[in-house]
Amino acid sequence: GDSVTQMEGPVTLSEEAFLTINCTYTATGYPSLFWYVQYPGEGLQLLLKATKADDKGSNKGFEATYRKETTSFHLEKGSVQVSDSAVYFCALSDLRGGYQKVTFGTGTKLQVIP
Amino acid sequence: NAGVTQTPKFQVLKTGQSMTLQCAQDMNHEYMSWYRQDPGMGLRLIHYSVGAGITDQGEVPNGYNVSRSTTEDFPLRLLSAAPSQTSVYFCASSYSMGTDGGYTFGSGTRLTVV
């Protein structure tokens, strides 16, 4: 079945550091890939997405490229801020029986210190 | 405000009690789902619906019932609460049945069963 593997957290960075959160996936079809962010006490929010190979999703300075050859969708940001502290979830959406089935990774907690 | 509204935000139940978690969306989304979030396990799908009158089981459906009488509402019923159902519950909706639609999440219900 489909699966998503994220790097273990927590990740602790100083403000303005470069961020990479690794995500790899296994899927039998042609999934779409997503990154969600969850701030403390809130629900998940869609951060960015890519629907086919070589697509790059971007939003709020975050980027991720759909790499079919390495089955990866790593999240990057050039300069993190304290306000980026949150839990980040990688997810894929695939079709099952004509409807989308979404599989989430276990989440990576990011802590940015001033 | 447009979005997914969940009530209540917090709930404490005694073992064996029943209750209903409410979820409503005003975006005319056909696709709705319920997830539970547990530490170290990411999000797991409980039940989902692809439209009014149509529901199906996810990966952890035991102990939960759902119904979808309208496009807007998708309540989750706990039949006889057990401590193993202590979790944070999220309702989510999507505009697309295909793989390109991201989810809009509610802010969650934190449930404790004692």
Side-chain angles (χ1 to χ4, degrees):
Chain A
D2 296 345
S3 66
V4 175
T5 302
Q6 291 182 236
M7 60 189 294
E8 293 265 342
V11 174
T12 302
L13 294 174
S14 297
E15 205 164 22
E16 298 184 1
F18 186 88
L19 169 70
T20 300
I21 299 179
N22 290 337
C23 172
T24 57
Y25 68 90
T26 301
T28 53
Y30 300 93
S32 294
L33 302 174
F34 304 83
W35 277 101
Y36 287 85
V37 57
Q38 184 180 32
Y39 299 102
E42 299 183 10
L44 281 70
Q45 301 174 25
L46 179 63
L47 182 60
L48 54 84
K49 70 176 183 181
T51 59
K52 61 183 186 297
D54 300 324
D55 270 1
K56 177 185 284 188
S58 61
N59 186 25
K60 300 180 181 179
F62 291 90
E63 293 183 340
T65 301
Y66 190 144
R67 300 287 189 200
K68 190 172 175 62
E69 63 276 14
T70 55
T71 62
S72 65
F73 193 55
H74 304 322
L75 183 68
E76 297 181 335
K77 187 176 186 183
S79 176
V80 294
Q81 306 300 312
V82 172
S83 57
D84 293 326
S85 298
V87 181
Y88 292 82
F89 290 88
C90 185
L92 70 82
S93 177
D94 204 352
L95 280 178
R96 287 289 180 268
Y99 307 113
Q100 66 162 306
K101 179 181 183 297
V102 182
T103 302
F104 289 88
T106 54
T108 302
K109 184 175 183 178
L110 170 66
Q111 183 176 12
V112 181
I113 55 178
Chain B
N1 291 334
V4 178
T5 303
Q6 289 184 240
T7 55
K9 291 191 178 299
F10 302 94
Q11 184 70 50
V12 179
L13 288 178
K14 293 182 178 179
T15 297
Q17 287 185 315
S18 62
M19 78 161 294
T20 299
L21 280 62
Q22 301 293 343
C23 174
Q25 52 91 9
D26 58 2
M27 298 170 286
N28 203 33
H29 286 177
E30 290 292 332
Y31 195 92
M32 297 185 73
S33 54
W34 276 102
Y35 287 87
R36 58 178 290 173
Q37 183 179 32
D38 301 292
M41 303 191 74
L43 281 83
R44 293 182 292 170
L45 181 65
I46 304 171
H47 286 285
Y48 67 96
S49 170
V50 299
I54 307 170
T55 64
D56 205 349
Q57 296 180 351
E59 57 183 304
V60 288
N62 291 342
Y64 308 95
N65 273 356
V66 292
S67 60
R68 184 97 180 268
S69 56
T70 66
T71 299
E72 294 78 20
D73 299 302
F74 190 43
L76 178 72
R77 297 182 188 85
L78 278 71
L79 309 173
S80 177
S84 61
Q85 294 179 303
T86 293
S87 186
V88 181
Y89 291 84
F90 289 101
C91 180
S93 71
S94 175
Y95 67 88
S96 173
M97 298 294 196
T99 60
D100 60 329
Y103 277 140
T104 300
F105 280 84
S107 57
T109 295
R110 186 174 294 274
L111 175 68
T112 302
V113 182
V114 298

